[in-house]
Amino acid sequence: MNEIKEKIPRIGMVSLGCAKALTDSELILTQLNAEGYQTSKTFQGADLVIVNTCGFIDDAVKESLDTIGEALAENGKVIVTGCLGAKTAAGGGNLVRQMHPSVLAVTGPQATQEVMDAVHATLPRPHDPFLDLVPHAFGVAGVKLTPRHYAYIKISEGCNHRCTFCIIPSMRGDLVSRPIGDVLKEAAALFEGGVKELLVISQDTSAYGVDVKYRTGFWNGRPIKTRMLELVQALGEMAEPYGAWVRLHYVYPYPSVDEVIPLMTTGMILPYLDVPLQHSHPDVLKRMKRPASGEKNLERILRWRQDCPDIVVRSTFIAGFPGETEEEFAHLLDFMREAQIDRAGCFAYSPVQGAAANDLLGMLPAEVREERRARFMAVAEAVSVARLRQRIGSTMQILVDSAPALGKKGGMGRTYADAPEIDGVVQLLPPEKISKTLRVGEFTKARIVSAVGHDLVAQPF
């Protein structure tokens, strides 16, 4: 065990100057922790030292330069950031470089990415598969770089499928499910830390537990099967006292997903599924080597909608896959109209180095692939806009993402139908009541008054 720990790079950090510099240091440490680096309390015990400097007054400059000198003497590998890093020497040139030419890198303030680039150049990042997909510290939940009111939780790594357009298994390997007790422990810490929306992610959420044959794990002394249904039930129960949302992403449409729909109908989890369908035609799906009986996807989605009328389905598709005929593409457009996919993204097929699809016959010209992508998006947008307009006049719960001046001039938020970054938003108008305030990370009720493109406009009350 000790041998493993010694291999994890350790970073020393010194933060000098004002509170603004301190917050810069916190951001750097947050990213270091997220990437698996450990911290060292001494220069000697570190593999590298970061000095966040101050250059405001002469005493601060001297303290910063002295600290850099100490770090170089005791460690030898030093990255300098902060205000002094942006300071020019009297005769021209960078002051820090002139006084300490052996430092590894020098940046100015608020330069987290530049600092991380310099760290990576000297100490390649450790690999922690359960942090890689997820960009604030929440106790055992570790570091999160999302806004504090929502967070991603990764339940597995890798994928057992060998889709011909994809190279993820060659990079991340086969499916490895996290122990269900670890996932629930992290989720509990996130909810306790104020998270109001938990987004479940993986390469294949529906397959959670397949690799361990759905073995029984434990959470708070209670046996619980390592399977998506049981995991989602536990997350929904855990979220309820906090009034928090649980949202599912990357859900392959296996028959087992049908078991989750009742949890959406009862409000235990959000009636939202991110389902990576990629195409609709059986022959194209066969060439893609897609799992989950793709020819039954329309039937399955229509049944979901019958059982849970509020369900929102988001998906991604590929247009112009090798060998795709005009008839197969037309099948995809018909599928979009019949399935009424609420949110859809589409990529024109593009060869990826190492992907088996590169060897398939019938590679289409780039202009045909792009033209089909544009035609797909025109249909997808028409479906999405029509479904959004159906919400006009309804009252919905909105999670507030932005609320300048406590929302007195309005703000921005999302409904259950909108995942962060990838779906639309709700533009919140100034509240009608003067006493009404909006706060980031809190829910508000609002009446939908209009739809603009992929977004809604709502009046809080």
Side-chain angles (χ1 to χ4, degrees), residues 162-168 252 275-291 297 314-333 335-336 341 343-352 355-358 360 362-366 368-377 380:
R162 296 297 182 264
C163 301
T164 57
F165 56 82
C166 180
I167 61 171
I168 284 178
Y252 280 74
V275 186
L277 297 170
Q278 307 303 350
H279 212 280
S280 63
H281 197 283
D283 291 344
V284 178
L285 292 169
K286 181 182 285 188
R287 293 198 295 276
M288 290 180 169
K289 291 191 175 179
R290 294 295 285 166
N297 285 341
R314 120 165 303 279
S315 191
T316 51
F317 297 87
I318 298 174
F321 191 75
E324 181 189 64
T325 65
E326 183 60 37
E327 290 73 22
E328 290 169 342
F329 179 67
H331 186 281
L332 175 58
L333 298 184
F335 171 85
M336 278 297 299
I341 302 298
R343 306 285 195 182
C346 183
F347 301 92
Y349 176 77
S350 178
V352 176
N358 298 341
L360 293 175
M363 182 69 70
L364 300 176
V368 173
R369 288 178 262 152
E370 286 295 338
E371 182 264 345
R372 288 184 180 175
R373 187 200 70 81
R375 285 164 61 194
F376 175 93
M377 288 309 301

Side-chain angles (χ1 to χ4, degrees), residues 134-136 138 143-152 195 199 420:
V134 183
H136 321 258
F138 290 83
V143 179
K144 303 293 177 185
L145 295 182
T146 48
R148 197 157 185 90
H149 61 286
Y150 69 82
Y152 297 93
V195 164
L199 301 103

Side-chain angles (χ1 to χ4, degrees), residues 399-419:
L399 179 57
V400 180
D401 287 327
S402 174
L406 295 179
K408 294 301 181 183
K409 296 183 179 180
M412 200 81 73
R414 292 175 291 109
T415 71
Y416 79 88
D418 310 306

Side-chain angles (χ1 to χ4, degrees), residues 212-279:
V212 294
K213 299 180 180 179
Y214 307 118
R215 70 182 173 209
T216 299
F218 291 88
W219 163 244
N220 280 351
R222 161 185 148 202
I224 182 167
K225 189 177 288 188
T226 306
R227 195 170 66 145
M228 182 179 71
L229 176 61
E230 284 78 4
L231 172 64
V232 172
Q233 284 177 319
L235 290 174
E237 292 169 1
M238 193 183 294
E240 186 177 12
Y242 300 95
W245 288 347
V246 176
R247 187 185 300 278
L248 303 183
H249 286 276
Y250 309 110
V251 180
Y252 280 74
Y254 305 132
S256 60
V257 177
D258 296 351
E259 299 174 326
V260 175
I261 304 304
L263 304 181
M264 299 180 177
T265 305
T266 59
M268 182 173 283
I269 63 172
L270 292 182
Y272 177 103
L273 278 178
D274 173 15
V275 186
L277 297 170
Q278 307 303 350
H279 212 280

Side-chain angles (χ1 to χ4, degrees), residues 293-312:
S293 303
E295 68 279 1
K296 297 180 181 178
N297 285 341
L298 178 58
E299 175 188 326
R300 177 156 289 117
I301 291 170
L302 294 178
R303 188 165 63 250
W304 292 345
R305 293 200 185 282
Q306 182 178 353
D307 295 343
C308 182
D310 290 332
I311 195 169
V312 165

